[in-house]
Amino acid sequence: MANHKSSLKRIRQDKVKALHNKYYAKTMRNAVRKLRATTNKEEAVKLYPEVQKMLDKLAKTNIIHKNKAANLKSSLSHHIAKLA
C-alpha cells in the first residue's frame, strides 16, 4: 500500500482516468463494429466521418495509438470501397 499522500491521490486519479479511457475506447470499438456490420454503402459512407473523427480524437489524447487509428481508418475505408 502507498505511504505518501501524493501517491494515494495518484491512485485515486488513475482510477478515474482509467474508467474514462475505458468508456471512450469501448464506444469507439462499438462504432467500428457497427460500421463493419453495415452492408449498405450509403449508410456506411454516412457513418464513416463520425467514426474517423472519433478515432482521431482518441489518438490525439493517447487513448489509442496513432498508428492503430490510421490502420482502423484504412481498413474501414477499404471495407466501404468494397461495398456495392
Side-chain angles (χ1 to χ4, degrees):
M1 186 62 199
N3 293 321
H4 299 284
K5 270 188 159 182
S6 60
S7 56
L8 292 171
K9 181 178 178 180
R10 175 61 55 205
I11 290 168
R12 287 196 310 270
Q13 288 176 334
D14 287 345
K15 281 183 189 174
V16 172
K17 285 181 185 175
L19 190 63
H20 176 267
N21 291 346
K22 190 175 175 184
Y23 168 78
Y24 282 103
K26 185 68 173 177
T27 305
M28 177 270 303
R29 283 197 302 274
N30 288 336
V32 169
R33 274 193 206 111
K34 184 179 177 184
L35 183 57
R36 282 207 177 112
T38 305
T39 54
N40 184 4
K41 186 166 186 160
E42 294 169 7
E43 196 175 317
V45 168
K46 199 179 289 184
L47 272 174
Y48 183 67
E50 296 170 18
V51 175
Q52 188 177 15
K53 183 179 176 183
M54 192 183 300
L55 289 167
D56 288 337
K57 280 187 175 180
L58 293 179
K60 187 174 81 173
T61 55
N62 291 323
I63 294 173
I64 61 171
H65 196 274
K66 65 184 176 105
N67 290 351
K68 180 181 178 71
N71 288 335
L72 283 170
K73 288 192 296 185
S74 174
S75 68
L76 289 173
S77 65
H78 188 254
H79 169 73
I80 292 170
K82 285 198 306 185
L83 292 174

